[in-house]
Structure formats: structure tokens, C-alpha cells
Amino acid sequence: MVSGTADLDQKPKKKGWFPDSLVLIFSLIVVAQLLTYVIPSGAFERAPAPFNPHYEMVVAGSFSAAEEAPTLDAWHFLSAIPRGLASAQEIIFLVFLVGGVIALMRSSGAIDALLFRAVRRFGNSPALLIAGTLTLFGVGAFTIGMGEEYMPLIPLLVTMCLAMKLDSIVAMGILWAGYGVGWATAGTNPFGVIIAQNIAGLPPTSGLGFRIVVFALCILVSFQHIYAYARKIAADPGKSLVAHVDYSAGFDMPEDVSYTWPRRAILLIFGAGIIFFVYGAQNWGWYIGELNTIFLGVGVLTAIISRMDPNDAAKTFISGAAEMTAAALLIGFARTIEVVLTDGLIIDTIINAIASLLDGAGPSLSAIGMLAIQTITNFFIPSGSGQAFVTMPIMSPLAELTGVSQQTAVLAYQFGDGFTNMIVPTSALVVGTLALGKIPYVQWVKFVTPLLIKLFTLAILTLIFTVQFGEYIGFGN
């Protein structure tokens, strides 16, 4: 029991200075409706895209003002929200199902066993620890958008690094660089690239081969940055950015998690399911429905192999899906912005205005401009899926008007979202993980900023490369 005096002595928690993502997106919906009253209505002509007859692309030079501008009712933005949710239902259901299946896999112990095994195996060599775990965390984000799942490993990573005369900055660099790079270059992440490609009318997982190459390059850049810092503080511990922080308590080694054959089988089935879907998407035209089917199959087999009680498996699945509620609502609300702009016939006017600003800039500069827009947006909407639905409906047709391929537009979105995930102060995940690692935010910024400069330089060069040689690497669409 806590005494009343103790309660009175506690200082009230300060409210965050920045609005929640849902508050921000709801505000953008209201702003979108207000814009319909001041921006002239207009529209482009549209024609079936050559790479996807079910997707319509704008016809350059066909913009014309609307003969009769619609006037939206004052409460139109409220009635548009259910339509936004309905419009994004395919992706929303995917998010719920994937969340439930990931919960089943975590409940089986398979994911944690693999991660703990990797950390312990590489723990005797700083270079192997950094390279191995960095790649492993990156692959998790690259494939299924893992991020929050890494938080329980922070004490273990910090403990391992401290035991090797390193510091918590190295541990956090391993986790966040892997996570950020994995999201920024993802090939099958259902919460990021799959959504963006869906909006852009592209086949899911298309361009996977090139994304794997970019992923490897970004991992190498990240390894160089982290390992150089690790060698510096190993030679002189006083140069550690957190030399002043006390790490004498709170970082005990957790109990070992056994890497059993059932857990190995679950991971093999999951890997086989991802490979099967990628093959089906590229050869048989599979899409979101087939991806849902495969994830459900993986979930059922996970429950069977790990011998879960059916009722426990159902509760675990529902709990995992429930954790995705915030993400699902953000997706539906973000889609509502497009619904309102479309109802007011001003989305094409906005696209035409941006395209006019980029007129004469060329595809390469336009692609870099898209990267800049996506990067800035991520500081305000750190949700990758939410950001996709806010920006891609504008970036996709803008790409057509500026000579940028849809694949490059999607990659610009990925870069802008993924890399800045390492540093955005509006992300609860960033703040939470830094707190677990006892790392002051300012010290973290000092470490990660040079890495971001390196990664964004590589991102800009990559975007220019895809503009110039996209047709040779599967980025011509």
C-alpha cells in the first residue's frame, strides 16, 4: 500500500509537447476540408497504366479546371472517415492478421530464441557481434517490419557490449541502425513497402533484388560507422559519449532461451512462406489476399508445432491483433485525407502545383525532392503505414508527371521513413529504447547524425541511379 503522503510528493507527469499521431492526422483531415474551400477544383485525365491495367495513371498536360466546383458540407470530414477506413480495409485487415501471427511466433519463443542465440554466439568478438546482430535486426525489419519486438533485447545487448569494454551507444547503434536500414530498404515489410506499392499500383515485393543490394550496402555503411566508434572507445573509454552514465546496475544477463527443434521448424516455415509469397507475387500475380493466407497458415502451423492450447492460441492471436489497433486506425484516418481531397476535386490541383514547381528540374532532382518531403513528413507522422497513406497518393501521380518511376517514388518514401526512424523525437519507440539503454537523447543525436548523413548520401545516389538505369534493374515502372 502506498501512503497518501507519498502520492502527494510525486510530481505530476508533464504532457508531451507534440500531438499524438492520430490527433495530427485528424487535424490534417480538417485542414484538407478547409483547403477545398480555397483551392480551385480541377482534374487530370487518367489512363490505364501499362504496368498494371487495373491502376490508372495521370496523363501529363491534361489538367483542366473543373466546370463546377463541389461544396462540401461542414461535417463532410466526419462522414469521410468511415469511407477512409473502408477504402483501406484490405491493408487494415493485413495489419491485424500479421500482428496476430507475429504474436503467435513470439509466444512460441522462436523469435526470441533466434535473437538471443545470435547475440550470445557473436558475443566473443566485437566485429562479429556488431556485424551479425546488425544484419539480423535488419533482416527482421526488411521482411516483416520488426521493431518493437527488439526492445526486450536492449538489456542483453547493453550487457554484452559493457562486458566487451564497449558502451550502450554501440548496443543502441546495432539495434537502431539495423531497424532503420531494414525499414528503409524493405522488400516484404507488410507495414511499409507493401502498402506503398499497393497505393502506387505496383506488384507487391517487386524490385526485391535491387532492394536487397541496397540493404547490403546500407548495412556495410552502418557497420563501418558503429565499428569505428567501438574501436575508438575500446582504445580510450573516456571518449565514450555515455562515459558519465552509471551502468553498475540493471543490466543482468537474462536466462538463456533454448533454440529447440520446434522453434527452428517454426522459423523455417515462416521463411519458406515469405519465399513462396515472393515467388507467387512475381510469377502468378499474387497480392494482399494471398499474403494474408500465407500468414494465417504460418500462424496455424506455429500453434500446432509449439503445442499451444487452442484457446491460448486464440487469445494470443487476438491480443497480437489488438496491439495493431492504433496502426490500423492511423491507416484508415490517413486514407481519409485523400478521400476528402478527392471529394473536393483539389488533389489533382495540388499535384499539378507541385509538378509545376519541379518543371524543368528533371527526374533526378524530383526524386531527391520526394525524399526531402518524405523525410520531413516522418518527423510529424512517425508511423510508416500512416505516412504512406498521407504522402503516396500525391507522390505517385507526381512521379508520373516528373518522369520518376513508381518504384523510385516508393523507394524515396522508404528512405525518408526508415532512416529518420532512428532519431525522430516524436517516436515513442525511440524515446523508450533510449530510456532502457540509459542514453541521453542529445548524446544519441551526436552519434547517429554522422551515420544519417552517410546513409542519406547513399540514398540520394541510389535514387539518381534508379532514375538513370531503372529499366535495367526492375525499377522502370
Side-chain angles (χ1 to χ4, degrees):
M1 179 183 249
V2 181
S3 68
T5 304
D7 289 336
L8 292 173
D9 289 340
Q10 292 180 354
K11 295 181 179 180
K13 294 183 178 179
K14 294 182 179 179
K15 292 185 178 181
W17 62 273
F18 201 84
D20 183 83
S21 294
L22 187 59
V23 174
L24 182 59
I25 291 177
F26 181 81
S27 301
L28 290 176
I29 295 172
V30 176
V31 170
Q33 172 149 340
L34 294 176
L35 289 176
T36 65
Y37 301 134
V38 296
I39 294 178
S41 300
F44 284 103
E45 294 178 9
R46 282 172 165 78
F51 55 86
N52 182 356
H54 301 292
Y55 174 79
E56 289 190 334
M57 58 187 296
V58 300
V59 177
S62 65
F63 180 82
S64 61
E67 294 181 1
E68 185 177 350
T71 301
L72 304 184
D73 295 328
W75 56 85
H76 185 89
F77 68 98
L78 293 176
S79 63
I81 291 175
R83 291 192 291 128
L85 290 163
S87 178
Q89 60 182 305
E90 194 173 42
I91 300 297
I92 290 174
F93 292 149
L94 171 66
V95 167
F96 279 131
L97 293 176
V98 170
V101 171
I102 291 177
L104 288 172
M105 292 184 65
R106 289 219 55 198
S107 180
S108 73
I111 293 176
D112 289 348
L114 175 64
L115 295 174
F116 275 98
R117 179 181 174 87
V119 172
R120 286 189 177 276
R121 171 162 291 187
F122 299 137
N124 295 324
S125 167
L128 285 179
L129 173 68
I130 294 171
T133 51
L134 178 66
T135 303
L136 189 61
F137 290 146
V139 169
F142 184 95
T143 54
I144 56 175
M146 293 182 68
E148 291 87 348
E149 294 81 6
Y150 297 151
M151 288 189 71
L153 293 174
I154 291 173
L156 173 63
L157 275 174
V158 173
T159 302
M160 294 293 292
C161 288
L162 293 176
M164 299 169 72
K165 308 301 181 184
L166 302 175
D167 66 9
S168 61
I169 291 283
V170 174
M172 204 62 61
I174 291 170
L175 186 149
W176 271 108
Y179 169 66
V181 165
W183 268 81
T185 62
T188 61
N189 177 0
F191 308 113
V193 64
I194 297 296
I195 293 176
Q197 288 181 328
N198 175 273
I199 296 171
L202 295 168
T205 76
S206 54
L208 178 61
F210 183 71
R211 283 182 169 83
I212 291 175
V213 173
V214 178
F215 169 78
L217 292 174
C218 290
I219 288 292
L220 286 174
V221 169
S222 301
F223 171 78
Q224 179 277 326
H225 181 81
I226 299 169
Y227 188 54
Y229 173 82
R231 292 184 64 182
K232 180 176 71 174
I233 65 171
D236 183 0
K239 292 183 177 180
S240 169
L241 292 172
V242 288
H244 60 289
V245 179
D246 181 15
Y247 286 94
S248 60
F251 293 95
D252 300 322
M253 293 290 284
E255 295 182 5
D256 188 28
V257 179
S258 56
Y259 192 51
T260 62
W261 279 108
R263 288 172 176 168
R264 295 184 187 187
I266 289 170
L267 292 170
L268 286 173
I269 290 171
F270 167 73
I274 292 293
I275 294 172
F276 189 39
F277 173 72
V278 170
Y279 183 85
Q282 295 181 351
N283 293 276
W284 303 325
W286 284 7
Y287 213 55
I288 303 298
E290 288 78 9
L291 180 59
N292 283 333
T293 301
I294 288 176
F295 267 110
L296 283 172
V298 170
V300 171
L301 291 175
T302 296
I304 293 173
I305 293 173
S306 57
R307 298 182 179 180
M308 292 185 191
D309 177 82
N311 289 338
D312 291 340
K315 291 177 182 177
T316 300
F317 180 87
I318 292 172
S319 176
E323 291 179 0
M324 295 292 114
T325 301
L329 286 173
L330 284 176
I331 290 171
F333 274 64
R335 173 58 73 90
T336 304
I337 297 172
E338 180 191 1
V339 171
V340 173
L341 294 177
T342 301
D343 290 347
L345 288 182
I346 66 168
I347 188 168
D348 282 2
T349 307
I350 295 172
I351 294 167
N352 185 61
I354 298 175
S356 299
L357 292 175
L358 295 174
D359 187 29
S364 295
L365 283 179
S366 297
I368 295 171
M370 291 179 185
L371 171 61
I373 292 171
Q374 298 288 5
T375 300
I376 294 170
T377 302
N378 196 45
F379 278 85
F380 298 96
I381 307 176
S383 165
S385 52
Q387 182 179 338
F389 276 109
V390 171
T391 59
M392 284 307 299
I394 293 176
M395 292 299 137
S396 178
L398 180 62
E400 297 161 8
L401 295 173
T402 55
V404 177
S405 72
Q406 294 298 314
Q407 291 285 12
T408 298
V410 170
L411 193 60
Y413 148 74
Q414 291 181 259
F415 286 154
D417 171 53
F419 292 144
T420 46
N421 277 339
M422 304 182 199
I423 199 172
V424 287
T426 51
S427 168
L429 188 57
V430 171
V431 175
T433 52
L434 292 179
L436 280 174
K438 294 185 178 181
I439 300 174
Y441 182 75
V442 173
Q443 302 306 106
W444 173 245
V445 171
K446 288 181 180 179
F447 170 78
V448 81
T449 298
L451 173 58
L452 288 175
I453 292 173
K454 297 172 187 177
L455 290 172
F456 273 107
T457 300
L458 179 58
I460 290 171
L461 294 175
T462 300
L463 291 175
I464 294 173
F465 180 84
T466 61
V467 168
Q468 301 297 326
F469 305 101
E471 58 183 308
Y472 303 109
I473 57 172
F475 267 57
N477 292 335

